[in-house]
Amino acid sequence: MRWKYYISTTIRFHLHALLTASLFLCPFVARSQLAVNQPGTPIDITAHDLEANAILNNWLSYHGDLTGRRYSSLNNITRDNVTQLQLKWVFHSRKVRVLGATPVVVGGVMYMTASNDLFAIDARTGAQLWHHTRQETAGEKGSESVHVNRGVALLSNKLYMETDDAHLLCLDARSGNVLWEVPFAKGYAGYSGESAPLAIRDKVIVNAQGGKESQGSLIAAFDASSGKELWRFGMQPAYSQGGMLGTYDPNLDMIFWETAGQSCNPEASAQSTDVQHRRCLVALDSNTGMLKWRSPLPEQKQSVFAISGVPVLLDTAYQGTLRKLIVVADSNGFLDIFDPETGKLLGQRDAGSMKPSENICREEKLSPSWNPPSYSEQTHIFYFMSLQDCRASSAQAVAAHPVPGAKAESEPIGKSTLLAYDLASGKLVWKDDSVATDHAPTGVISTASGLLLSGGKTQSFQAADAATGKVLWSFPMGQSPTGSPMTYAIEDNQYFAIAAGNDLFVFGLP
Amino acid sequence: MSLQQKRRVAERKTLCDDPLRYLIACCLGVAFATASHAQQKTPNKAVNPAAAVFGSNCAVCHGSDGRGGERAPNIATKREIVNLSDAQLTAILNKGVLASGMPPFSYLGDEKIKQLVEYLRELQGVGGSGQMQLPGDPAEGEKIFFAEGSCSNCHMIHGKGGFLGEDLSTYARGRSSAALRTAIIHPPGSPGDADHIVDIQTTDGNSYSGLIRSRDNFNIVLQSNNGAYHSVVRDRIQKMSISSQPLMPQDYATKLDEKKINDLISYLLKSSGSDKPIAKNEEDRK
């Protein structure tokens, strides 16, 4: 076994070296290294910038790039100097709602959203440059929205965001002026927009969170300059929480999205419970919205976990060969591994078997929920923050598996665990079950310098050694993180940012 | 004026303002009540009966003209309020804004709430139907905005134009023709040097030119006319100069004749939808 592992690791190393070398020869990577979209230059994001395989100074989209790996090539902050990390500035939103976004940064300007608010912030000092705001939608239509917004998409010099009443806004990134606005789920009750849109090539793709009565799903594409609707997939907004945007492979020209309802089972009636709890991964032609393939995810048992996951696109050694994979840490507690071209399920790993032993809800899986995972090109490990939540069935679970001192009617038990999973060996490399004792809806990011950033215990933000999970640094924020971290740089100064409550915290070296 | 003098004047103002405003509010409240009372006696004269409802329920906090008071915001010209749909205003009246102390008025009943919304539209200067008379030709005004007047160098309307100045897409909403005329020919100017071009030379030999978008004791952020932001540490500033003239031209009164100004005003009003009845519900707005 050990010998086999050695061979696969060696092959993997060489294949990765080759891949990395080819990446740096690509002209579009070279472009991202030039002084375009750097501080002091006008913003001009091209499709090539978005498709670049290395995330450098700018963090251009919700996941940083279109693959969803949340892996930054920045390496100024290392495992050695991370202990010197200090708070640089805090941006406080005067809104009642918490900040749930991952900010984007381009040319030293950060764009951060709250529900129906968009802030442009000087990424060096935290000073607000402009602010677009509109009233939250009151009444029935917005009632299904929890008034959370996950962030913006960027293309050319324009910003795109969804509103709580499912409108797509296009704003001038220089001024925050609204250039156009289109309602994308018009005619359906109880819909809202929450996800960050996905900008690819010349279009912007949105998905809608729907009300209690809608059982389908909706993914729609709009022309990035005119706002004209190009296509839509699915008939109705999906009943799902925590809208999460999909990913895009420019070579296959396909977008990948976790979706729900009739889009997964078109034959079933909208009222059937099968439709309600059915989730799947779809691949769509980015130009037409036509379905390329559809692959079911494990049946949803707890509607409270009807939360979409990120289909992470990665090139890695899997079962001895270097290949493209989609890995979804789904909300039912499984790691699902797909072939991006055909949708074939290559493997499925029960994340529940990685759960801590003191778990008392045997029926529950560890659910990555709306915590975006990360795949490190440095350690080749897939990291995800999982949530064990016994809210839906704690009473049954406690009755079935009595634990001394536990009461059936006790408070919901939520526990986050950070897991590091090696796709090549199929083994759990390490886990940190001390990260949070409450719901910490934070994703993770990894860096080329071998760091893993995430929410930590006692409402903190932490940096760990990605290889071992050893926590190297942490900062108590006084509130649980509510957004996922990101990293950016201005000249040679690297920063980490994470939202917690109404505040956005930014850290850097002295 | 010395700082002390200023402070004294300010103190005097605060002392005078409160009782005076309160007195005016009360008088006007009474005046409204009286007017409506008179109205009931002389039904021939068309006065909005909602004025009395407004006077006795809203004016005490929002002022009889709806322009705000000590206890409540301006609901007559504050654009966020003017831009709300009738349905949204109705919802606010029915439910109140508990966080800020506005009680629900649902007990008045649907009919009176409807009248209140209509009356508020009148106070907002958009009339019961929301329709305003245009003083000129909006199509001609559009040409002036984008060519002769060079307004579009800095201002944007519905996605077209520049970005350095304020977006004027809905600027005219809740503003009268007279107010727009004043804003064009006697621009009030932004406080301080916010709309003056600033030139900065730094000790490392760089120079930047643009508008100040943010500043504190240690940093200053300029935006140049290509849209780029320059975040500069004050310690590194060697020379900083501020242009004497604001970016907004001060000579439209002589540059554009009366007809052209009216056309321009008409274009601003039309762009803001002030020439159309105001949206009655959410769907109309979309």
Side-chain angles (χ1 to χ4, degrees):
Chain A
M1 283 310 281
R2 185 173 287 252
W3 178 78
K4 259 189 188 168
Y5 180 67
Y6 173 77
I7 295 284
S8 81
T9 314
T10 317
I11 291 172
R12 192 176 61 180
F13 176 79
H14 286 293
L15 289 172
H16 272 289
L18 199 66
L19 187 77
T20 315
S22 68
L23 287 177
F24 280 94
L25 294 173
C26 290
F28 56 81
V29 175
R31 183 188 133 86
S32 66
Q33 308 255 32
L34 295 175
V36 190
N37 295 315
Q38 295 305 317
T41 61
I43 295 170
D44 181 23
I45 308 296
T46 65
H48 279 317
D49 295 327
L50 295 173
E51 290 167 17
N53 235 309
I55 303 176
L56 295 165
N57 286 14
N58 296 326
W59 185 276
L60 294 179
S61 57
Y62 181 75
H63 296 307
D65 68 10
L66 300 175
T67 65
R69 288 170 303 169
R70 287 184 170 253
Y71 169 76
S72 168
S73 298
L74 293 178
N75 55 11
N76 302 60
I77 300 172
T78 64
R79 280 171 289 193
D80 294 327
N81 65 18
V82 72
T83 50
Q84 299 166 42
L85 214 55
Q86 56 180 223
L87 187 63
K88 286 291 175 182
W89 51 265
V90 178
F91 177 79
H92 178 71
S93 152
R94 287 170 185 82
K95 292 285 164 172
V96 185
R97 313 286 179 184
V98 298
L99 300 171
T102 302
V104 304
V105 169
V106 57
V109 181
M110 176 182 280
Y111 299 99
M112 180 69 188
T113 62
S115 179
N116 287 7
D117 287 276
L118 173 49
F119 303 92
I121 302 164
D122 180 18
R124 187 176 66 81
T125 64
Q128 183 179 306
L129 302 172
W130 55 255
H131 175 204
H132 169 82
T133 185
R134 58 175 59 199
Q135 295 241 333
E136 281 187 356
T137 309
E140 199 188 350
K141 285 223 174 74
S143 61
E144 297 309 324
S145 167
V146 287
H147 301 290
V148 165
N149 193 281
R150 309 251 166 232
V152 294
L154 256 173
L155 190 60
S156 176
N157 59 0
K158 298 180 178 75
L159 296 164
Y160 303 87
M161 81 175 277
E162 298 180 9
T163 63
D164 67 353
D165 57 347
H167 286 214
L168 172 63
L169 296 186
C170 171
L171 301 102
D172 186 337
R174 302 167 298 186
S175 61
N177 291 351
V178 177
L179 301 177
W180 49 258
E181 171 176 1
V182 283
F184 58 82
K186 199 176 177 181
Y188 301 110
Y191 51 75
S192 69
E194 181 180 324
S195 166
L198 178 71
I200 56 165
R201 299 209 167 158
D202 52 357
K203 52 183 83 70
V204 180
I205 296 161
V206 296
N207 69 322
Q209 276 68 59
K212 283 174 184 153
E213 287 159 21
S214 44
Q215 308 296 346
S217 70
L218 173 71
I219 301 169
F222 296 88
D223 183 273
S225 42
S226 69
K228 182 173 172 269
E229 185 176 313
L230 302 172
W231 53 256
R232 59 175 53 208
F233 174 79
M235 293 158 290
Q236 292 177 325
Y239 175 42
S240 63
Q241 299 175 327
M244 190 53 70
L245 73 163
T247 51
Y248 174 67
D249 184 319
N251 296 320
L252 297 171
D253 205 0
M254 290 200 274
I255 61 166
F256 306 97
W257 220 291
E258 190 188 322
T259 184
Q262 276 186 306
S263 304
C264 294
N265 191 356
E267 286 80 33
S269 85
Q271 280 72 37
S272 81
T273 49
D274 181 47
V275 159
Q276 201 166 357
H277 297 308
R278 177 64 68 192
R279 300 190 72 78
C280 63
L281 187 66
V282 293
L284 308 177
D285 182 311
S286 86
N287 294 308
T288 60
M290 296 290 284
L291 183 72
K292 289 281 193 181
W293 52 257
R294 174 196 286 130
S295 207
L297 294 168
E299 196 174 338
Q300 201 68 45
K301 294 213 175 60
Q302 308 294 340
S303 58
V304 71
F305 289 141
I307 293 161
S308 49
V310 184
V312 183
L313 274 162
L314 45 95
D315 291 275
T316 193
Y318 183 71
Q319 294 174 344
T321 39
L322 179 66
R323 55 171 305 156
K324 271 187 185 181
L325 296 177
I326 290 179
V327 182
V328 184
D330 75 46
S331 57
N332 224 0
F334 285 88
L335 275 187
D336 310 304
I337 300 158
F338 298 95
D339 177 349
E341 281 184 56
T342 63
K344 185 173 174 247
L345 184 68
L346 301 172
Q348 199 165 46
R349 182 73 201 251
D350 183 352
S353 63
M354 309 172 196
K355 65 192 168 187
S357 56
E358 66 268 30
N359 164 46
I360 59 159
C361 323
R362 298 276 168 85
E363 300 305 312
E364 297 281 335
K365 305 291 184 194
L366 285 171
S367 143
S369 65
W370 60 93
N371 303 334
S374 175
Y375 172 74
S376 167
E377 299 288 352
Q378 195 245 352
T379 60
H380 310 297
I381 292 173
F382 190 84
Y383 302 93
F384 59 108
M385 182 74 82
S386 63
L387 172 69
Q388 172 205 335
D389 189 330
C390 304
R391 186 163 35 179
S393 62
S394 63
Q396 293 160 279
V398 171
H401 308 283
V403 171
K407 290 179 193 164
E409 66 275 18
S410 64
E411 285 292 296
I413 300 157
K415 187 170 171 58
S416 296
T417 306
L418 185 53
L419 297 163
Y421 181 76
D422 186 337
L423 288 161
S425 68
K427 288 200 172 93
L428 184 68
V429 184
W430 55 261
K431 71 169 182 239
D432 180 356
D433 52 12
S434 71
V435 283
T437 50
D438 58 353
H439 290 231
T442 162
V444 290
I445 57 164
S446 52
T447 72
S449 52
L451 290 173
L452 188 73
L453 286 301
S454 70
K457 62 182 162 188
T458 59
Q459 304 179 322
S460 66
F461 178 49
Q462 73 176 36
D465 184 331
T468 62
K470 187 188 173 200
V471 179
L472 303 171
W473 168 91
S474 83
F475 181 89
M477 297 186 291
Q479 49 200 330
S480 288
T482 47
S484 293
M486 54 81 72
T487 183
Y488 64 96
I490 297 172
E491 287 155 2
D492 291 330
N493 302 310
Q494 188 185 351
Y495 301 89
F496 293 118
I498 188 166
N502 298 120
D503 301 304
L504 180 73
F505 292 82
V506 173
F507 303 89
L509 293 174
Chain B
M1 201 186 281
S2 77
L3 195 63
Q4 264 188 334
Q5 279 173 312
K6 273 185 191 169
R7 207 173 288 155
R8 251 180 253 138
V9 170
E11 277 165 12
R12 221 176 296 145
K13 267 190 184 167
T14 338
L15 284 175
C16 299
D17 271 9
D18 287 1
L20 201 64
R21 269 194 215 163
Y22 186 65
L23 198 66
I24 291 172
C26 290
C27 290
L28 286 173
V30 172
F32 267 114
T34 325
S36 70
H37 188 64
Q39 154 69 8
Q40 280 164 4
K41 283 182 181 172
T42 52
N44 293 342
K45 201 178 171 190
V47 173
N48 193 337
V53 188
F54 188 89
S56 52
N57 291 287
C58 319
V60 177
C61 294
H62 289 287
S64 55
D65 57 0
R67 294 191 177 223
E70 295 296 316
R71 277 170 286 180
N74 178 346
I75 52 172
T77 60
K78 196 175 174 192
R79 283 163 62 200
E80 281 167 26
I81 310 286
V82 179
N83 287 339
L84 292 177
S85 71
D86 284 9
Q88 285 169 316
L89 289 173
T90 306
I92 291 172
L93 281 164
N94 276 318
K95 291 180 191 164
V97 186
L98 295 178
S100 61
M102 170 164 162
F105 285 91
S106 49
Y107 66 87
L108 289 174
D110 289 349
E111 185 53 33
K112 280 188 177 164
I113 296 274
K114 187 165 172 273
Q115 288 176 353
L116 275 180
V117 171
E118 281 171 9
Y119 184 66
L120 181 58
R121 293 303 189 201
E122 282 186 23
L123 291 180
Q124 289 172 345
V126 289
S129 65
Q131 223 155 341
M132 273 183 92
Q133 291 297 315
L134 301 181
D137 180 354
E140 286 301 314
E142 184 172 0
K143 288 181 199 158
I144 296 164
F145 185 89
F146 287 98
E148 189 182 349
S150 16
C151 313
S152 64
N153 286 358
C154 294
H155 296 289
M156 188 174 272
I157 283 190
H158 299 315
K160 284 186 199 136
F163 59 91
L164 284 174
E166 189 182 347
D167 186 328
L168 301 181
S169 303
T170 57
Y171 178 83
R173 182 60 102 186
R175 287 187 162 93
S176 65
S177 295
L180 294 175
R181 180 185 310 279
T182 308
I184 294 167
I185 62 177
H186 301 298
S190 304
D193 44 21
D195 58 354
H196 293 247
I197 291 285
V198 172
D199 290 296
I200 286 178
Q201 279 176 18
T202 56
T203 48
D204 54 7
N206 288 319
S207 55
Y208 310 102
S209 180
L211 293 175
I212 295 174
R213 295 307 195 195
S214 155
R215 68 175 129 194
D216 59 25
N217 289 341
F218 306 98
N219 300 288
I220 192 159
V221 183
L222 288 189
Q223 185 177 30
S224 50
N225 61 7
N226 65 1
Y229 286 97
H230 308 279
S231 179
V232 183
V233 180
R234 278 194 189 255
D235 276 356
R236 296 195 192 143
I237 295 178
Q238 193 171 47
K239 195 182 159 201
M240 182 162 131
S241 58
I242 299 164
S243 72
S244 57
Q245 287 296 309
L247 266 188
M248 174 77 185
Q250 308 291 303
D251 58 352
Y252 279 125
T254 50
K255 200 174 161 193
L256 300 174
D257 63 27
E258 187 60 20
K259 184 192 171 293
K260 285 177 178 170
I261 299 265
N262 280 334
D263 291 344
L264 195 53
I265 291 169
S266 304
Y267 174 59
L268 291 174
L269 285 168
K270 192 173 162 55
S271 301
S272 304
S274 304
D275 61 328
K276 291 199 190 79
I278 202 142
K280 291 294 176 198
N281 59 51
E282 273 304 286
E283 287 311 308
D284 289 352
R285 298 164 67 83
K286 287 176 181 173

